[in-house]
Amino acid sequence: MLFWELFKLSRQRRTYLGLGAAALVPIIFVAAIEITHQGPEAGDAPFAAQLFSNGLVIPLITLAFGSFVMLPAIVVLVAGDTVAGEASAGTLKTILSRSIGRTRFFLVKVAAVALYTLAVLVVFAGVGLLAGWLVVGLKPLAGPDGTPIPVGEGIALIWACAGVLALPLLALAAVVVFLSAATHNSTASVVGGIVFVLLLRLVSGLGLTGFLDPYLITNQFDAWLNLLRQPVDWPPVVRAIWVSVLWMVGFFLGAWGIFVRRDILG
Amino acid sequence: MAGKSASGKAPLESGAPALRLLGLSKRFGNFAAVERLDLTVRKGDVYGFLGPNGSGKSTTIRMILGLIRPSAGEVRIFDRPSTVPGARENVAGFVEAPGFYEYLSGWNNLRMLAAADGRSRDVASLLRWALEIVGLAGRANDRVGAYSQGMKQRLAIASALIRQPELLILDEPTNGLDPAGMRDVRDLIRRLSAEGLTIFLSSHLLAEVEQLCNRVAVISRGRLIVEGDLREVVEHARGRLEYHLVTGDPARARQLLESRTDAMILDGSSEGIESFAPQDVLRISPGEGGAGPVVKVLVEEGVEVLALVPVHPGLEETFLRLTED
Ligand SMILES: Nc1ncnc2c1ncn2[C@@H]1O[C@H](COP(=O)(O)OP(=O)(O)OP(=O)(O)O)[C@@H](O)[C@H]1O
Ligand SMILES: [Mg+2]
């Protein structure tokens, strides 16, 4: 069934909207800095000073940019449609009239969303790395304290960063799958997911969240930046991991509870 | 049916009803869409589930298929509560307008549904068989989004058939079909029934149910009005006959019938009878003794009786009588 779930994703336009954006943004970014020879100021983005001399910096800067709104938005776009899209197309009643149990079908859908989320990250970081290599070229990275980081380690570091970013993105996907199962409305889930991200960013930015602030899912989107310090600043990374897992599990269980009970109308 | 013995399904205890609804109820908020519905579908029945729009047919079918939870009561399938895992293994069907993945071909839709049934062997031949039966074999590779409503309806039937069920649940299966399509589907239902399938089908057309079904239940506003053999139900609904009466002196006849018999003169002009003017035709519903006393009085008083024709209420009329309060 997972095969069919991925097959369905592969035949839908919104899938390519997300993957296409994830592939295009790094390309546009590289093209822009090649043409204008302008980039972020040093301090605004990781390793910004080496932007024009080292392609390894490209995926890190695009990740820093993408993790703010773009990647969450792409994830929300597909996650919001999981249950709701099938409910409104009337296919949910068709498939749930078959032998497959509701729990099993739910697991398959969730697995497909998770794979999609990972695919978006891989494409985003991978295209950035590829573009950086082809256009700027790769060489050892000068670390923040001057220690050089060899190219191989630099690439591993990029993927580690993407991996740490994957967890809060998956947690966000769980939140939006929950909305999708609860509302059976695709648009409401997508809009709700994006409003959720912006709202948490806003109340956190205004300092209204108090002691809860370190546990907001949106504040885990930047935790991977701590991997780039020398030495690595582990506590925020570790916190991002368990906080993301808690959000993920909580909303996943909530969505599952709703999905297996809910009346299938429409 | 193809491959039945290979499906490994446990033999069913014979004699058990295929489907029973016991006190089945569904409320949406304060609104009772289905209320304490009891009915029994025996094996081999083609069972008509008849009711006007909004009477609760689809809601009942959703409960049978496990898509919504009853507020009260129980669905029993081959004598097992539907809540037992696997109770619906021998059931297939659909509710309302069938929902398919419009961006996939009919063939891929069916392949995916077969996968959802856990079927992996001989899928292609099963699909070809089902598509052949519903007459969609030539269009299987087109996107469902490009299908007409009637083609989607046929695909829905094919999707039910590939479960190789023993009990088929069809919600208004001829909805949206042209007359030829309706005839095809009705022929198919007869054929499947002849092969031993039990079929439960909803309809708001008494004529359709009369053509296909041996048993029928009529619901209105979520409640069962009557259940039984088709003939009994139809006779019950038709009740007393109505007559069209033509005499040489309609005014006198009306006055005599009103004063001397317990016959009722029905209002509204009739369609008329051939070769008589509509205003000369009286619609009457004779009393206890039937038409005899009416004729006797008229003849005794010298009113010429030119015609007395019994009229069966049409099927539509019968249906309305059944479902109206
Ligand atoms: N989700 C819902 N919420 C509230 N009321 C509902 C819901 N679904 C159905 N109903 C109501 O329940 C009643 C029965 O609806 P149902 O769809 O079962 O009728 P039906 O007999 O299938 O009608 P039709 O011939 O039009 O298909 C209707 O009055 C309908 O408005
Ligand atoms: Mg209906």
Side-chain angles (χ1 to χ4, degrees), chain A residues 39-63:
Chain A
E41 303 276 311
D44 279 1
F47 303 102
Q50 300 170 56
L51 177 60
F52 299 105
S53 58
N54 194 341
L56 284 177
V57 176
I58 303 283
L60 291 173
I61 290 183
T62 52
L63 267 185

Side-chain angles (χ1 to χ4, degrees), chain B residues 83-99:
Chain B
T83 46
V84 170
R88 292 189 177 87
E89 270 315 286
N90 295 308
V91 181
F94 56 83
V95 62
E96 282 176 357

Side-chain angles (χ1 to χ4, degrees), chain B residues 177-184:
Chain B
L177 298 178
D178 58 20
M182 284 191 186
R183 189 199 52 212
D184 288 352

Side-chain angles (χ1 to χ4, degrees), chain B residues 153-154 157 170 173-174 177 180-190 212:
Chain B
Q153 199 74 22
R154 289 156 190 259
I157 294 175
L170 305 172
T174 56
L177 298 178
M182 284 191 186
R183 189 199 52 212
D184 288 352
V185 167
R186 288 173 188 158
D187 286 347
L188 173 61
I189 288 171
R190 286 192 198 96
L212 291 174

Side-chain angles (χ1 to χ4, degrees), chain B:
Chain B
M1 294 171 66
K4 182 107 257 176
S5 57
S7 68
K9 287 165 184 161
L12 297 157
E13 198 184 314
S14 61
L19 175 70
R20 290 193 74 187
L21 308 184
L22 301 169
L24 197 65
S25 307
K26 181 68 187 183
R27 325 192 114 259
F28 294 109
N30 282 328
F31 177 76
V34 175
E35 242 186 321
R36 272 173 273 130
L37 199 56
D38 292 291
L39 56 85
T40 303
V41 180
R42 298 167 312 196
K43 270 190 217 167
D45 279 347
V46 178
Y47 195 102
F49 191 43
L50 194 61
N53 290 142
S55 53
K57 303 181 296 293
S58 297
T59 304
T60 303
I61 288 180
R62 278 177 202 275
M63 288 189 277
I64 296 172
L65 293 175
L67 295 171
I68 64 179
R69 269 162 203 271
S71 308
E74 192 186 18
V75 175
R76 292 183 73 85
I77 295 166
F78 295 112
D79 230 15
R80 283 194 296 172
S82 65
T83 46
V84 170
R88 292 189 177 87
E89 270 315 286
N90 295 308
V91 181
F94 56 83
V95 62
E96 282 176 357
F100 288 105
Y101 299 94
E102 305 251 316
Y103 49 87
L104 300 182
S105 66
W107 178 263
N108 278 334
N109 267 281
L110 293 187
R111 278 219 298 160
M112 194 208 36
L113 293 176
D117 284 336
R119 175 179 278 278
S120 52
R121 283 193 301 141
D122 308 325
V123 173
S125 59
L126 187 66
L127 263 49
R128 272 195 293 273
W129 164 80
L131 286 165
E132 197 62 52
I133 285 185
V134 299
L136 268 185
R139 301 291 301 272
N141 290 320
D142 294 2
R143 278 174 58 247
V144 171
Y147 281 14
S148 70
Q149 199 189 341
M151 291 166 71
K152 288 181 190 169
Q153 199 74 22
R154 289 156 190 259
L155 188 64
I157 294 175
S159 78
L161 291 179
I162 61 173
R163 267 172 82 70
Q164 300 185 295
E166 301 188 18
L167 171 60
L168 197 57
I169 310 280
L170 305 172
D171 193 11
E172 304 196 22
T174 56
N175 209 8
L177 298 178
D178 58 20
M182 284 191 186
R183 189 199 52 212
D184 288 352
V185 167
R186 288 173 188 158
D187 286 347
L188 173 61
I189 288 171
R190 286 192 198 96
R191 223 163 76 217
L192 294 170
S193 166
E195 287 179 29
L197 245 81
T198 306
I199 297 168
F200 179 88
L201 72 98
S202 79
S203 178
H204 54 248
L205 303 173
L206 182 58
E208 175 167 277
V209 165
E210 194 172 36
Q211 282 178 38
L212 291 174
C213 302
N214 62 321
R215 282 178 73 77
V216 57
V218 180
I219 64 164
S220 173
R221 297 176 197 182
R223 290 171 175 277
L224 187 70
I225 305 290
V226 57
E227 184 201 12
D229 284 343
L230 179 78
R231 284 292 130 229
E232 285 168 28
V233 170
V234 169
E235 290 310 319
H236 162 86
R238 281 184 170 155
R240 264 189 269 167
L241 284 177
E242 178 185 322
Y243 289 84
H244 288 173
L245 171 67
V246 188
T247 58
D249 185 350
R252 180 108 202 285
R254 175 185 283 268
Q255 183 224 322
L256 280 170
L257 292 182
E258 280 173 346
S259 58
R260 300 267 302 271
T261 72
D262 56 357
M264 286 203 318
I265 316 271
L266 302 169
D267 291 327
S269 70
S270 71
E271 308 281 290
I273 309 176
E274 227 175 312
S275 77
F276 293 105
Q279 64 269 22
D280 291 339
V281 180
L282 286 177
R283 291 174 61 206
I284 63 167
S285 176
E288 283 302 307
V294 172
V295 179
K296 184 158 175 272
V297 167
L298 293 175
V299 171
E300 277 173 5
E301 295 299 323
V303 177
E304 201 180 359
V305 176
L306 300 173
L308 182 66
V309 183
V311 184
H312 283 280
L315 286 170
E316 301 311 323
E317 183 91 352
T318 309
F319 181 50
L320 287 174
R321 280 193 201 175
L322 276 169
T323 54
E324 274 170 1
D325 289 339

